Amino acid sequence: MKIGIIGAGKVGVTLGKYLADAAGGQQEAAGPLDFQVLGFYSRTLESAASAAEFTGTQAYEHMNKLVEASDTLFVAVPDGAVAQVWDCIAKNRLSGKIICHFSGSLSSHVFSGIEQSGASGCSIHPMYAFSDKFTSCRQFHTARLTMEGGQEAVSVMKQLFEGLGHTVYTVRSEQKGKYHTAASLASNYMVGLFQISLRLLGECGFCEREAAELLGPLVLENAHAMLEKGPAEALTGPVERCDAETVKMHLNVLSGRTEEQIYRILGQELIAIAKQKNPERDYTALENIL
């Protein structure tokens, strides 16, 4: 398998480095497929060259040259550019090739008319935070992946990544939107909640470093508890205790701010979880407050 990567951002470079390392000198971990990463094409040759140097591969000045040399193409570009890149790829001879993109929200249907080209397409979404193009590869072995698309493409890509030790799931194409919303809430929106907490502590006189140090153990312990025990068992705090006075105090602190709306909406979700944990407890008063 000869893999060409279109896009030299965080996802493309992470995948390129991870797979190039697995293919070169780590064959025991590379699984049953024989593969190599040929190199990168990007909007600028400078970006492709930087990615190629980091991964020990080649920079391609022209997309068509990379498409011609590869039997598997990774389209690692922003969601809004996937269809445009596909239109460019589709002008080439693609019979027998596999085309993959890595958007969590788009399905493989973005590869319009791929059946007529003789290629097979799929979407692959690593449930993973790509924070930096030059360091995210270090922990990528922990990522779980979700795939959907053409039978051949999914089968080959599943074999590749399972051979590298990953757990791979499949999802229906019509559920990609809901799937990606779930991922965003669990990742990006938690960052937003953390930022709100930092801001409130900043208003108490803590600098950002001090606020982060205070919250760090709480955030980590909560995350571990949720993953190990589930939301109901992990839930603590005034909502779970049905501590109406403390909740009222919180709302008074946030009165008139956007954070008050967030607190009320999430508080109602917490009540539903608390009821699972404490079915004997009456949360009516708290429901009325929120």
Side-chain angles (χ1 to χ4, degrees), residues 12 17 21 103 118 124 126 140 174 186 204 209 223 228 274 276 288:
K17 177 64 172 174
D21 284 352
S103 166
I124 303 173
F140 189 76
E174 64 270 20
C204 297
R209 177 187 58 79
E228 292 177 7
Q276 298 176 30
N288 292 334

Side-chain angles (χ1 to χ4, degrees), residues 2-3 38 60 64-71 97:
K2 297 179 180 179
I3 301 170
L38 296 182
Y60 287 75
N64 292 346
K65 292 293 185 181
L66 180 60
V67 172
E68 182 181 352
S70 307
D71 55 39
K97 295 183 186 291

Side-chain angles (χ1 to χ4, degrees), residues 86-272:
W86 164 242
D87 287 342
C88 296
I89 294 173
K91 297 174 183 177
N92 296 269
R93 295 179 61 181
L94 300 178
S95 181
K97 295 183 186 291
I98 291 174
I99 319 293
C100 313
H101 73 71
F102 293 83
S103 166
S105 60
L106 297 175
S107 76
S108 58
H109 294 326
V110 72
F111 297 139
S112 177
I114 193 170
E115 296 83 5
Q116 288 71 42
S117 74
S120 182
C122 71
S123 69
I124 303 173
H125 183 246
M127 195 69 86
Y128 185 74
F130 293 89
S131 56
D132 182 272
K133 69 164 68 177
F134 298 118
T135 60
S136 291
C137 54
R138 297 172 186 170
Q139 294 299 316
F140 189 76
H141 65 278
T142 66
R144 288 167 168 75
L145 300 94
T146 305
M147 301 181 183
E148 64 79 34
Q151 183 176 354
E152 180 183 355
V154 170
S155 176
V156 173
M157 289 297 102
K158 191 173 183 182
Q159 185 180 3
L160 171 64
F161 284 100
E162 285 184 340
L164 291 167
H166 296 270
T167 299
V168 178
Y169 302 96
T170 57
V171 64
R172 299 193 306 275
S173 58
E174 64 270 20
Q175 296 295 341
K176 281 298 292 285
K178 186 177 292 185
Y179 162 84
H180 193 250
T181 302
S184 293
L185 285 169
S187 178
N188 317 135
Y189 278 71
M190 285 191 179
V191 173
L193 287 173
F194 186 70
Q195 181 60 49
I196 290 172
S197 295
L198 290 177
R199 184 161 58 246
L200 290 170
L201 287 175
E203 293 170 8
C204 297
F206 296 96
C207 70
E208 187 168 328
R209 177 187 58 79
E210 292 169 337
E213 288 177 351
L214 275 170
L215 293 171
L218 180 65
V219 171
L220 292 173
E221 181 58 32
N222 242 359
H224 290 150
M226 283 190 293
L227 293 172
E228 292 177 7
K229 304 174 184 178
E233 288 304 312
L235 182 62
T236 61
V239 172
E240 187 272 333
R241 297 193 303 269
C242 202
D243 183 350
E245 292 307 311
T246 297
V247 170
K248 285 180 181 178
M249 181 267 289
H250 290 173
L251 290 171
N252 184 58
V253 168
L254 299 173
S255 180
R257 300 167 56 140
T258 302
E259 291 92 333
E260 180 188 358
Q261 296 175 291
I262 297 171
Y263 187 97
R264 287 184 182 276
I265 292 168
L266 288 178
Q268 293 169 39
E269 186 68 30
L270 294 183
I271 288 176

Side-chain angles (χ1 to χ4, degrees), residues 30-100:
L33 289 182
D34 182 19
F35 65 91
Q36 67 176 122
V37 179
L38 296 182
F40 292 82
Y41 170 82
S42 185
R43 286 183 300 173
T44 67
L45 184 58
E46 181 182 6
S47 294
S50 174
E53 181 179 5
F54 178 62
T55 59
T57 61
Q58 182 178 346
Y60 287 75
E61 187 173 359
H62 302 288
M63 183 190 297
N64 292 346
K65 292 293 185 181
L66 180 60
V67 172
E68 182 181 352
S70 307
D71 55 39
T72 302
L73 288 165
F74 285 178
V75 181
V77 300
D79 291 8
V82 174
Q84 181 181 355
V85 170
W86 164 242
D87 287 342
C88 296
I89 294 173
K91 297 174 183 177
N92 296 269
R93 295 179 61 181
L94 300 178
S95 181
K97 295 183 186 291
I98 291 174
I99 319 293
C100 313

